[in-house]
Amino acid sequence: MAVFAPGQGQPQTFKLLSTGPGANTAMRELDIYKVTLRFRNAQTEEYFVRSQKDRLVNNYFWLAVQLLLVSCCMLVILPFASPFDRPEAKRTRLLGMVALGSVMLAAIVTLIATGKETISARLHPNVAEVAAVAVMLFLVPLVYLMDLYYASKCLGYDPDSTWGNDRIVYKFSDTRAILAQSVLILASHLTLPLRWVVLAPQEVLSVLAYAGFAFVLGGPDGSDAWSTLLLFTALVICSAIGRRTIEMHQRESLQQIIHERSLRAELEFRLSCEREESRSTGARRPPAPEEGSSDGNGSFHPESLPETTTTAKAIGNGDDLARILDIGRREQWLVEPEELQIRPRHVLGQGGFGKVVGGDFCGTPVAVKMTKVVLGDTTDDDSRQSSMLVSMFNEIQILRRLRHPNIVLFYGACLMPEQRDARLVLEWVNGPHLETFILEGGIPGRPLRAADQFKAIMDTCRALCYLHSRRPHVIHGDLKGTNIIVERDAGRPDAFNAKVLDFGLARTLTRHARSMGGTVMWMAPEIVRNPAMAANIYADIFSFGRLAFFVLTGIFPFHDSMRSKIVKALRKDALPALPWPRAASAMLAQCRPWVEACSALRPEERPRMPQIRGQLSLTLVLMGPAFVAEAEGFSQALVLEEASEEEQPPDPPAQGEAAAGTREAAASSSAAAEPEASAANGSTEEASERPGEGGGGGGG
């Protein structure tokens, strides 16, 4: 049993006291305004309204369908409502048909607005509420104009003489008009999830409309109209009270859910922090496996480095927002709420963990990454919703230390301890995703050039070289075409710069780094086989090889296989061959050997990023000066210097042998291109759908 009572000392605050068997007797404060029931917190109120929007649109669609069907039936019946052809009767029927046509028009407009997803998706929840009530207000007077008695009265005719004679006497009543008004009241209060305060205009207008028609124009019930008015008013009041009670319980449930999710997230953060503390101060650990070795469980560890600092752990776990605020102020990346203006309707991208919208930071256009909980459109379960904050703090922990021209710049983060929420402020990049850039044929106005493909691959390679050279190493963890954005140069229309973004699944390569995720189409097979496998840089290298294949050919890896088939094949170590095209260009022939090496099934057989960068530099030299001139951002001297540089990777001997084999394969790649492509095409299975992407962080 729930009893609502005014909170002591706070006359406009409700407190909920739960009583009864097994109930928690603690007082839970429901922080709302007493009359309107609005949450005092504007973001919570916005989330409440947004959470009702989908149900409002769906229910209103079916109400409009019923309204249209009833109107069509009445349109057929109304012309035959009376056999009289008097001028007064004709004008009255015409007025009724005009009113009925207006009802049908309102129903059709509502069907279009609610049935077409492109329109309903753009409607702001507040606008949808106002529009729903406006249609109800529009229908109130039309109900009386469709009634033969009141239509005659509106035109100044006597209903008895208009619709009767010496032999026929019509008995008029308010029953149909009152019944129609009651249906509208019940539909808006019980079927549509509208806030009770928004429905107040309809309630007032319904009562006043009946009083005006019945007593000003004169109703058919005469003196009985008073009792009808009292009963109808009682119905409206009861409907309003019922709507208010339902809304009160909805708001209580929402606040309880928010409270429980906050506690769950806080508990997870604290447990994670305690585990890290116990690992750092607990019992002795077994010695870490050497670089390039296996730990005996099938998990390959390329490095074993010290744990992150206490500061990094505090940010990554998000266990104490107040402490993170202090760290942000000390490191100069904390953004105050008044410095940031957000445009929530300007959605730039979205993913599993959040949305990226436009905004302004101190007058500068920026991209703001927000959790879906704030935007109010999440449909995920509770554990995934709490993971949004974990992903957000993970990005803060990693991005705050990264500075590279091929990585989207991190300006800071806006933290809100009261809402347990964070917003990432990132560089605004003007351009499409790399996937769109390749599929749509490059820069508008000219076809995609081989130099453009090379530039995109080289920019991404440089970003990964930088990430893997950090101490501890940084692993992106979800490298794919939609996580790289192509920035166009306003001064040089033909020039662009590829930038890596979305570090929601990134990891720092520490002794106890968390397991990795990713998207199946681009994910390394060892991660698919063992999702709990320790993080390593070779997963990024595999994804980079797949990405390079897509950029070079415009073909998705596993392009004709379903997701389930991909996972099944990778778990069986049956890595399908890449479907290389039969006609191989000179650059494709140069890049194919190292792309195949990146796709090796065993992680230790894959080359490292410095080796791949050396291969790319050598390819650039072999392609000639004209190709170098087309590839914007490269200088001939730098190319020659990188190509002549001898890099000694810290890999075991097996890695060196694999790299040597890669260079030897370069000489025969052109001759082997056609047979291998034919074998790949011949072994491809038929599939009914293209694999979808999943598990990625918030897009940008």
Side-chain angles (χ1 to χ4, degrees):
M1 176 180 178
V3 180
F4 292 95
Q8 295 179 356
Q10 295 182 358
Q12 290 188 336
T13 300
F14 279 172
K15 289 186 176 180
L16 175 69
L17 176 60
S18 297
T19 60
N24 184 6
T25 58
M27 300 287 287
R28 292 195 305 272
E29 186 175 347
L30 190 58
D31 194 13
I32 61 175
Y33 291 101
K34 184 176 180 180
V35 177
T36 63
L37 299 186
R38 289 174 59 91
F39 285 106
R40 294 181 182 274
N41 186 290
Q43 291 182 341
T44 307
E45 180 66 23
E46 182 183 1
Y47 175 66
F48 176 76
V49 178
R50 286 182 179 274
S51 64
Q52 306 286 338
K53 179 189 172 183
D54 290 341
R55 195 155 57 95
L56 172 62
V57 171
N58 182 68
N59 291 1
Y60 211 33
F61 174 82
W62 291 111
L63 281 179
V65 171
Q66 296 180 46
L67 182 62
L68 186 61
L69 291 177
V70 172
S71 301
C72 290
C73 294
M74 293 184 65
L75 187 64
V76 175
I77 296 172
L78 188 60
F80 307 101
S82 173
F84 298 106
D85 291 330
R86 299 189 185 101
E88 295 85 355
K90 291 182 178 180
R91 294 190 187 99
T92 303
R93 277 198 297 265
L94 179 61
L95 177 60
M97 294 185 69
V98 170
L100 188 58
S102 301
V103 173
M104 296 181 66
L105 179 62
I108 292 172
V109 171
T110 302
L111 283 175
I112 295 174
T114 56
K116 202 164 185 179
E117 189 175 354
T118 55
I119 298 177
S120 61
R122 295 181 179 180
L123 279 178
H124 191 275
N126 292 329
V127 176
E129 273 193 331
V130 172
V133 175
V135 173
M136 291 295 179
L137 295 176
F138 179 70
L139 295 177
V140 168
L142 296 180
V143 168
Y144 296 97
L145 295 179
M146 289 186 295
D147 186 87
L148 295 178
Y149 181 89
Y150 287 111
S152 300
K153 283 285 189 178
C154 289
L155 294 176
Y157 304 139
D158 180 23
D160 294 329
S161 60
T162 302
W163 302 106
N165 54 27
D166 296 336
R167 293 176 300 169
I168 301 176
V169 178
Y170 270 79
K171 285 191 175 182
F172 295 100
S173 173
D174 285 335
T175 302
R176 189 172 65 177
I178 287 296
L179 186 60
Q181 291 285 13
S182 301
V183 170
L184 292 179
I185 289 291
L186 294 177
S188 60
H189 286 68
L190 300 182
T191 306
L192 302 179
L194 298 169
R195 289 177 291 179
W196 90 281
V197 69
V198 178
L199 291 169
Q202 183 197 4
E203 297 160 0
V204 174
L205 181 62
S206 297
V207 174
L208 293 180
Y210 177 71
F213 277 95
F215 296 108
V216 176
L217 292 179
D221 291 345
S223 59
D224 291 338
W226 285 105
S227 59
T228 305
L229 176 62
L230 289 176
L231 291 175
F232 180 64
T233 304
L235 173 68
V236 173
I237 293 174
C238 291
S239 300
I241 294 174
R243 177 68 252 175
R244 181 184 171 90
T245 304
I246 293 172
E247 184 179 337
M248 180 73 77
H249 285 292
Q250 289 174 339
R251 291 179 181 273
E252 178 210 352
S253 300
L254 175 64
Q255 183 156 309
Q256 185 175 357
I257 290 172
I258 293 174
H259 180 66
E260 290 176 355
R261 289 173 181 172
S262 300
L263 291 179
R264 184 182 295 108
E266 183 177 356
L267 180 60
E268 290 177 357
F269 293 149
R270 292 192 179 280
L271 288 176
S272 177
C273 182
E274 289 176 4
R275 283 197 297 266
E276 294 294 333
E277 292 291 341
S278 64
R279 286 171 179 171
S280 60
T281 60
R284 291 183 300 174
R285 308 181 187 89
E290 296 180 357
E291 180 182 341
S293 65
S294 175
D295 62 0
N297 296 323
S299 298
F300 181 75
H301 297 272
E303 322 281 355
S304 182
L305 299 173
E307 291 190 22
T308 55
T309 62
T310 307
T311 298
K313 287 193 293 183
I315 297 176
N317 294 328
D319 57 335
D320 191 345
L321 283 178
R323 184 180 177 189
I324 297 176
L325 282 170
D326 294 336
I327 295 172
R329 292 191 182 97
R330 188 168 62 250
E331 296 182 349
Q332 298 294 315
W333 52 260
L334 182 67
V335 176
E336 299 297 337
E338 58 268 19
E339 296 177 323
L340 183 64
Q341 294 182 347
I342 299 173
R343 298 191 293 273
R345 297 185 184 181
H346 189 186
V347 179
L348 303 176
Q350 59 181 325
F353 287 100
K355 277 190 176 182
V356 181
V357 300
D360 292 281
F361 173 47
C362 295
T364 302
V366 293
V368 183
K369 186 170 184 178
M370 308 169 65
T371 60
K372 283 188 173 181
V373 175
V374 175
L375 295 175
D377 58 355
T378 181
T379 57
D380 298 329
D381 55 22
D382 292 348
S383 61
R384 188 166 181 81
Q385 291 171 5
S386 62
S387 299
M388 294 180 185
L389 282 178
V390 178
S391 173
M392 196 74 77
F393 286 118
N394 182 63
E395 286 200 66
I396 295 174
Q397 175 195 353
I398 293 175
L399 287 174
R400 61 195 249 273
R401 299 296 190 190
L402 300 182
R403 298 291 184 276
H404 192 272
N406 296 117
I407 296 176
V408 171
L409 186 60
F410 171 72
Y411 289 148
C414 182
L415 306 181
M416 290 159 288
E418 295 81 6
Q419 291 83 32
R420 294 200 61 81
D421 187 53
R423 297 173 179 179
L424 269 63
V425 184
L426 306 171
E427 173 189 9
W428 179 291
V429 180
N430 180 28
H433 290 122
L434 180 59
E435 180 178 303
T436 305
F437 179 80
I438 296 298
L439 295 179
E440 293 185 359
I443 297 175
R446 66 167 174 80
L448 183 68
R449 304 177 305 184
D452 297 334
Q453 298 168 300
F454 186 91
K455 177 71 163 59
I457 294 173
M458 188 57 141
D459 285 350
T460 309
C461 177
R462 286 174 166 171
L464 287 180
C465 284
Y466 169 79
L467 294 175
H468 293 180
S469 66
R470 302 302 90 197
R471 292 293 183 269
H473 300 328
V474 176
I475 306 164
H476 186 273
D478 195 23
L479 197 66
K480 56 185 177 181
T482 54
N483 282 343
I484 297 171
I485 195 163
V486 178
E487 182 183 34
R488 294 170 182 168
D489 192 334
R492 295 181 299 169
D494 289 343
F496 68 88
N497 192 34
K499 294 192 173 188
V500 178
L501 51 83
D502 194 351
F503 285 77
L505 296 179
R507 301 287 183 264
T508 51
L509 195 55
T510 61
R511 188 184 302 274
H512 297 289
R514 289 179 294 171
S515 57
M516 301 182 64
T519 306
V520 171
M521 188 189 298
W522 316 89
M523 194 186 299
E526 64 270 15
I527 304 297
V528 177
R529 290 194 305 268
N530 182 16
M533 181 179 182
N536 63 78
I537 62 173
Y538 294 105
D540 268 357
I541 294 170
F542 182 92
S543 300
F544 176 75
R546 296 280 157 161
L547 179 69
F549 169 80
F550 167 74
V551 174
L552 290 169
T553 63
I555 303 172
F556 286 101
F558 311 113
H559 68 290
D560 57 352
S561 300
M562 292 186 297
R563 177 189 173 95
S564 58
K565 290 186 177 180
I566 297 173
V567 174
K568 185 177 180 180
L570 293 179
R571 285 178 177 172
K572 293 181 178 180
D573 288 346
L575 190 63
L578 292 171
W580 294 95
R582 294 177 178 272
S585 63
M587 189 181 72
L588 190 65
Q590 291 288 334
C591 295
R592 180 171 177 174
W594 63 260
V595 171
E596 293 283 5
C598 290
S599 301
L601 191 62
R602 294 175 57 86
E604 61 268 30
E605 294 178 358
R606 299 169 196 159
R608 291 205 176 192
M609 295 311 302
Q611 293 175 274
I612 299 173
R613 187 184 63 190
Q615 290 289 323
L616 286 171
S617 300
L618 181 61
T619 298
L620 193 60
V621 173
L622 296 176
M623 293 298 292
F627 186 84
V628 175
E630 287 183 354
E632 295 287 343
F634 297 96
S635 66
Q636 183 70 23
L638 178 61
V639 170
L640 293 174
E641 179 183 349
E642 289 184 345
S644 61
E645 203 174 57
E646 287 190 16
E647 302 192 76
Q648 299 296 334
D651 289 283
Q655 174 61 36
E657 294 172 6
T662 299
R663 297 188 185 95
E664 292 173 5
S668 59
S669 60
S670 299
E674 290 192 17
E676 289 180 14
S678 301
N681 293 334
S683 62
T684 303
E685 296 181 356
E686 280 190 24
S688 60
E689 60 176 346
R690 206 183 92 189
E693 297 179 359

